[in-house]
Structures are given as C-alpha cells and as structure tokens.
C-alpha cells in the first residue's frame, strides 16, 4: 500500500496531505516544514504487513 504525500505552506502553517489508496485524503497541520516532511516520510511508508504491536503494559 503506497500513499502519496503533499507538503505545502498555507497561511504560515505547513500542511501535509496524504492521499490514501481508497481515494480519501488525510490532512495534518505542522508548525515547521521539517515537522511536515518528517511526518510525511513516516506516514507515506508502505505497510509492512506485520502483525500490530501490543500496547505497552502499565508502569
């Protein structure tokens, strides 16, 4: 599953839009371009297909 990421600057806010395979679009707003680009890199990675990780136990 690959997703297309688009980073733009709108009204002094960096906007990340991820287009999903099903045609829907997810939008994130970031304070800096670096934050938006790093988030885009993480969110646009294909799914590894591995099982979901268990939540951390209580501390």
């Amino acid at each position: 599953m690959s997703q297309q990421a688009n980073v733009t600057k709108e009204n002094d806010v960096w906007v990340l839009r991820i287009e999903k395979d099903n045609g829907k679009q997810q939008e994130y707003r970031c304070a800096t371009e670096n934050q938006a680009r790093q988030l885009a890199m993480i969110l646009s990675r294909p799914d590894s297909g591995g099982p979901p990780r268990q939540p951390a136990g209580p501390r």
Side-chain angles (χ1 to χ4, degrees), residues 1-7 16-21 24-26 40 43-44:
M1 168 170 38
S2 67
Q3 301 170 353
Q4 187 75 332
N6 184 22
V7 176
L16 165 63
R17 290 185 179 89
I18 304 280
E19 187 174 329
K20 305 279 186 164
D21 288 336
K24 293 185 178 182
Q25 195 173 69
Q26 184 73 43
L43 294 178
S44 65

Side-chain angles (χ1 to χ4, degrees), residues 34-52:
N34 191 36
Q35 285 177 337
R37 296 216 179 268
Q38 287 182 3
L39 186 57
M41 184 173 53
I42 291 168
L43 294 178
S44 65
R45 284 193 298 198
D47 186 5
S48 67

